[in-house]
Amino acid sequence: MTLNSNQKTEKKKRETFSTGLAVFFATLGSAVGLGNIWKFPYLTGNSGGGAFVFTYLICILLVGIPVMVAEFYIGRKTRKNAVGAFTALKASPFWKIIGYMGAAASLFIMFFYSSVAGWVYSYVFKALTGKFGALAKKPVEEAVKTAGEEFSLTVGGTYSPVLWQFIVIAVVSAILIAGVQKGIERVTKTLMPLLFLLIIICDIRAITLPKASQGLQFLFNVDFSKINAPVILTALGLAFFKLSLGMGTMITYGSYFTEESNLMTTSARVAVSDTIVSLLSGIAIFPVVFEFGMKPGGGPGLLFQTIPLAFSRMPLGNLLLIAFFLLAAIAATTAMISMLEVPIAILTEEKGMGRTNAVLLISSVVFIIGAVTVHPESIFGGVTLLGKGFFDLFDYISSNILLPVGGLLISVFAGYFVSKSELCKELSNNGIIKNKSLINIYHFVVKFVTPILLIIVFLSSIGIIKLK
Ligand code: PFF
């Protein structure tokens, strides 16, 4: 983020993003990541296609956007981290739990996210060394098998996945220590449009495949009978994960917004753009799945098996493959930076720790715990708890418990513990933006719709009420 000299000399003495566009791209840089190109397609594949996509869109609209606006409000109003913000608002100390739970969620997500980012980094390397060239020459069945084997090799080795995870964490830490937030602003501004372009190239490739329509039907045909409690909980968890919500990331980013930023339109624009990237990723992947006779419910390997296959059979395929995974790696990196900013801002601003020490401490914890748990060959790789391996367990605890509980607390705080006039003042930038009726609708949704929906989903997921 660029230091804006006017704001620098202002009383708040805090960095801000330089312009409205920078605010948009930096926030989108946090939202867009592995969630769009890796998690969205594989969860859609596992959870029944169009029905899941439909449920997800509803979650974005009724839960995601309202919670994002509330986080922006808390951040920009106080210009503080996710714990300090509640002190600044003179709220009861209880609310600081949002920040502490957010810091815990950040670690839980990082344990497995950095490992998946390691797979992406290693695919850049594999593409650069021409590993996927052979796929083009093989008959379809053999090529599918080879792509699957390549993925198993990436995930399964004793040392190599740990080494790639280490490289990822080292890169993220170096950027965080250098504090090159200026760099983040610049990187996200050029990267996002480029990533968009490449996904569209993948889409064109995918929808011109003979069996493309089967893939598109799978993605967009809504079979309402498939919507049940687990599908809703998964879609809700994904909405939080996707938009980096419920853990204070958007409180922290909101604290860097300019006074002129329109909180409601920024959040709508980020949510819509992010969702478009996810849908475009689905359009790139599912036609390939059906074309090559793969299973839509193939799990976390879906992205890594389909994209090399699709690209290997088109002109300039290897070059496009390198570019795709490189951009995916950068998108994952900017998302991780925003994720770690939550505990780091708490340690530096609340506990007075130096930035370098805070980064080193958090990164070491992430690496040590991540390395011994999430890989199949690692020390605790084979251990299961509550019927899940650590990789899935960390994902479940963060996406399905910590983020939605954080989101519930944030919406209750904004709906019940902030006066409507106060909210109105901040969301209209002190009356400059004339959006009174929109604010009224927002206030109603954040007070009643969002928390009630969240409570219903929770109660049904622990079996207290039965949705279906
Ligand atoms: N939104 C990111 C993605 O979809 O890949 C993941 C993420 C980033 C989650 C930052 C949470 C967060 F604080």
Side-chain angles (χ1 to χ4, degrees), residues 21 71 98 115 124 175 250 327 359 366 402 432-433 439 455:
L21 200 66
E71 290 203 28
I98 292 175
S115 148
V124 176
I175 300 175
M250 291 304 174
L327 285 170
V359 173
V366 168
L402 292 176
I432 294 169
I433 314 168
I439 294 174
I455 289 170

Side-chain angles (χ1 to χ4, degrees), residues 30-36 109 113 241-244 247 249 335 338-339:
S30 166
V32 171
L34 296 173
N36 307 69
I109 296 175
Y113 200 95
F241 182 89
K242 269 302 328 107
L243 297 178
S244 317
M247 53 179 277
T249 307
S338 73
M339 216 179 287

